[in-house]
Every structure is written in C-alpha cells, then in structure tokens.
Amino acid sequence: MGEQDSVAVIGAGVVGCAIAWSLTREGWPVMLADPAEPGSGGASFGNAGHLGAELVEPLPSPALLFGFWRQLFVFGGALDLPWRRLPQFAPWAWRFAAAAFRQRANTRQFAPLVRPAAAAWERTLREIGSRALLRRNGHHQVWLTPAGARKAAAEARRMERLGVPTAPASPELLRAVARAAGTDTIAGLEFPDTGHVLDPRGVCEALARAAVARGASVRRLRVLELAPCGDRIELRTDAGTLTVSAAIVCAGVWSAPLLAHFGLRAPLEAVRGYHVELPGHAPLADAPVVYMDDDIVVTPLASRLRATSYMEFSVPEAAPDPRKPARLAATLRRLGYRCDSGNSGWVGPRPVLPDYL
Ligand SMILES: Cc1cc2nc3c(=O)[nH]c(=O)nc-3n(C[C@H](O)[C@H](O)[C@H](O)COP(=O)(O)OP(=O)(O)OC[C@H]3O[C@@H](n4cnc5c(N)ncnc54)[C@H](O)[C@@H]3O)c2cc1C
C-alpha cells in the first residue's frame, strides 16, 4: 500500500501518537506527520505527566467565573489573561462563561471519559511494552496555610459527591512536605486512583515506535493546508503535496487553521504553562504533589523533578515571560526544593476549548 492509501495523522503530540498507535493496531495504514520528533513539538513535551482521573468536572464553573480575579498573576496567582487582545479573546471567554452554567450537564459527558484515564493508560502502555513508564501511586494535594484543613475537608466532600475516592494524606507525606517547607501548618488529601508517567515525551516516543513496528511511517514535515480532492484529501506540506485517503488533525493549538478549508471552526485557545526541572533532586513522594495554595504540581519524573504551573492565555509563539519561571523557582525554594535562580524553564501551549469538552 502506498501513501495515497494512508490515513494521515497530523501532529505527533500525545494525541497524534496515541491515535496513530490505535489505528495501526486495527490494521490501518498510517502516516504520522510532524515537523518535530514525536512528543517534542508541543504541550506533550513539557506537561506534568499527571493522569488526572480525578478531574471529572470540566473547569468552567460559576465559582471560577465570579472568583477568577483572585487567581490572576498580578495578585500572585497562576492565571494570566490576554488583556491586550481582549477583542479576539472575548468570543472564547463568552463561550467559557456559558459553559460555566452547564457544568453539571457537561460533567455527565466528561466524567465517563476521564474517570478511567489512569487504568486506560496502564492498559495501553502495557500493550506496547512500556508499562515501566507509568506509576499508579495516585497523587497528593497539600495546603500549607491555616485554612488548609477546612479546604481539604471541602475538597474531600466535593470529590465524594463526584464519586472520586480520596483519603487523608498519610502522616509521613505530610511530615515530609511540612519539614521541607519549614512549617507546622499542613493539611492534605490523597487521590489513590490516579497516576503519573515518568517521561511525558517518552510516552509519545513509545507510542510512535509501536505504531512504526506495525507499519506506520513517521514523516518530518509541516502540513500547510488540507483540501478535499475527490474522495481523498490533499495535504500541502513544506515537503510537497501528498494525497491520502483520510486525515486526522491532532496539531494541538495549531489545529484550527488546518480545519478551516472544511468549514470547521475550532475555538481553540493557547493556554501556556511553564515548567522548571530539578535534575537529580530526590522526591518527597513517589507521586505528584500538588501545592494547592501556590498552583504548582511537582512530579517525580525519571531522575528529576518537574514543577509546572500557570495558565497564560497567549499566542503560542510569543516570547516566554521570564517572570513566570523566576517566580516558580522562588516558590520552589520557599517550599524547600533546591532550585537555582538561573533555571529558565520551558513554556508550551495547552490546546483548550472553552467548554473543556
Ligand atoms: C505546563 C503544562 C502542564 C500540563 N500538565 C498536564 C498533566 O499533568 N496532565 C494532562 O493530562 N495534561 C497536562 N497538560 C496538557 C497536555 O500536555 C496537553 O493537553 C496535551 O499534551 C495536548 O496534546 P496534543 O497532542 O493535542 O498537542 P501537542 O502536544 O501540542 O502536539 C501538537 C503537535 O502538532 C505538531 N504540529 C503543529 N502544527 C503542525 C502542522 N502544521 N503539521 C504537522 N504537525 C504540526 C506540533 O509540532 C506538535 O508536535 C499540561 C500542559 C502544560 C503546558
């Protein structure tokens, strides 16, 4: 079979790599196209690696809608809104606001997809011989303020209502986190049914390798435009024109322009996050620790810790904001991690739809 019979999977982030693997497993001829190596061109490279099976409620909620200002970067929070391009951002924000009032209905659609996430990843990684990339040790949420115990109890009740199991965090974990941060004030919750991966990029590479082993090809090219061509799809790329039998667009925040030719308008915003890494740093637990007061996740990856934070609405190609990794590093030091101030970190864009569905 030639390329003209292939299904083109456009974008080799975690979504494209997982789709390429699933299609080849079912016997489809696949071409995975990306100008970057699998797992290195977008958000899939730099994420926290948390398999968030507890995130069964889509983010838009009335509480966030009316209280978002408390989380703004200027007030020390993780949220940075695009004030300078407000007119372009307004339609997305309007849809986000509308979704906030449909949170219960949207949760009914979203929860069944998210709840089995950690188990599904375990199954997939085992199938491709890469189970070692996954830990099923859950994760922890911790609060280091006097209001922490009340917030932890409220979060446990919310999770119970949503059918997500939690338990009080173990005294050992709380002692380790409190000792590192130099405080006696701590509260925490454990989420036993989640998990994390040890190398987010490695997961993409493993999926792409498994797809190639079943006959997929990986092409280093950028798709510039897609157009219908009879019962086929023409891909105009930076390496010439290709015709394929079908195309699946998985290009993260860069997907919308590729769909335009088909009259599809994907309301995607780039919500950038940052990470800094602490090579060789010992973890406080063999599971991600979420510092709820600081909006930071610290994940133990292979031979390093990765701390992630921020929801920065920005164009993907904008220059990184140096204040963000600097503040992240300073907070990590306050929490007791060894993190030098020259850690410039990484920034990358989450593809986010306004209703999170
Ligand atoms: C800091 C941070 C922390 C996060 N933490 C978590 C977490 O803990 N758990 C979680 O589940 N999610 C997390 N996320 C979100 C998660 O990383 C993303 O939802 C996910 O990686 C999106 O994958 P993707 O394949 O859709 O997009 P991407 O990973 O962005 O991949 C898109 C790919 O498309 C390619 N591409 C772009 N344009 C073209 C083109 N024209 N032709 C061909 N290829 C193209 C790019 O090179 C890229 O490789 C986090 C995100 C960030 C930024």
Side-chain angles (χ1 to χ4, degrees):
M1 250 179 300
E3 213 144 60
Q4 69 279 4
D5 301 307
S6 294
V7 177
V9 177
I10 300 166
V14 68
V15 174
C17 291
I19 288 176
W21 156 245
S22 301
L23 288 173
T24 53
R25 190 184 46 183
E26 289 175 19
W28 293 86
V30 167
M31 180 193 62
L32 181 59
D34 196 312
E37 294 286 351
S40 63
S44 305
F45 176 84
N47 64 45
H50 168 53
L51 304 175
E54 85 288 7
L55 299 171
V56 295
E57 271 187 326
L59 192 67
S61 68
L64 181 58
L65 200 57
F66 297 115
F68 76 91
W69 57 272
R70 278 192 290 265
Q71 300 185 26
L72 288 174
F73 183 70
V74 285
F75 299 134
L79 179 63
D80 201 357
L81 294 176
W83 303 113
R84 285 209 200 101
R85 55 179 191 94
L86 221 42
Q88 298 93 306
F89 176 62
W92 190 96
W94 179 251
R95 293 171 82 146
F96 182 96
F101 295 103
R102 293 196 308 268
Q103 194 189 31
R104 283 178 88 157
N106 287 349
T107 300
R108 280 197 290 279
Q109 311 298 321
F110 195 58
L113 299 174
V114 171
R115 221 183 282 284
W121 272 110
E122 183 171 11
R123 213 170 38 246
T124 300
L125 290 173
R126 179 170 289 126
E127 213 176 337
I128 62 171
S130 297
R131 171 63 182 81
L133 285 170
L134 180 91
R135 289 276 187 280
R136 287 296 303 276
N137 297 343
H139 76 281
H140 308 278
Q141 291 184 352
V142 295
W143 290 260
L144 301 171
T145 49
R150 180 177 51 76
K151 290 182 180 172
E155 180 71 346
R157 282 195 300 276
R158 186 173 79 90
M159 287 294 140
E160 191 177 1
R161 177 172 58 74
L162 292 167
V164 175
T166 63
S170 72
E172 296 76 41
L173 182 274
L174 293 180
R175 253 197 313 276
V177 174
R179 194 183 315 117
T183 178
D184 294 329
T185 310
I186 186 158
L189 274 187
E190 182 189 345
F191 290 71
D193 281 0
T194 62
H196 73 284
V197 296
L198 296 179
D199 181 1
R201 177 189 186 173
V203 167
C204 301
E205 290 170 336
L207 288 163
R209 262 197 316 274
V212 168
R214 296 255 182 143
S217 62
V218 178
R219 297 278 308 265
R220 292 283 297 275
L221 51 82
R222 180 180 302 282
V223 177
L224 305 172
E225 200 178 15
L226 293 173
C229 175
D231 63 348
R232 303 183 158 259
I233 308 280
E234 195 168 84
L235 307 186
R236 294 169 200 145
T237 81
D238 57 1
T241 300
L242 305 169
T243 307
V244 292
S245 65
I248 301 178
V249 176
C250 321
V253 292
W254 300 278
S255 297
L258 296 175
L259 297 167
H261 221 108
F262 298 85
L264 298 170
R265 284 163 50 88
L268 278 168
E269 266 290 325
V271 184
R272 302 200 309 179
Y274 289 69
H275 81 219
V276 300
E277 291 197 332
L278 314 179
H281 201 303
L284 296 175
D286 190 8
V289 177
V290 186
Y291 291 88
M292 298 296 283
D293 309 307
D294 292 297
D295 284 313
I296 291 177
V297 186
V298 177
T299 308
L301 300 186
S303 68
R304 65 205 189 276
L305 300 184
R306 176 179 287 178
T308 52
S309 188
Y310 300 115
M311 303 271 288
E312 179 196 68
F313 288 75
S314 180
V315 288
E317 287 75 23
D321 178 348
R323 296 170 303 168
K324 292 184 174 121
R327 187 198 280 179
L328 183 50
T331 308
L332 288 170
R333 285 194 292 278
R334 171 165 59 73
L335 295 171
Y337 294 91
R338 286 188 320 282
C339 179
D340 67 56
S341 49
N343 199 325
S344 61
W346 169 93
V347 59
R350 301 174 184 88
V352 178
L353 292 166
D355 56 8
Y356 270 68
L357 295 179

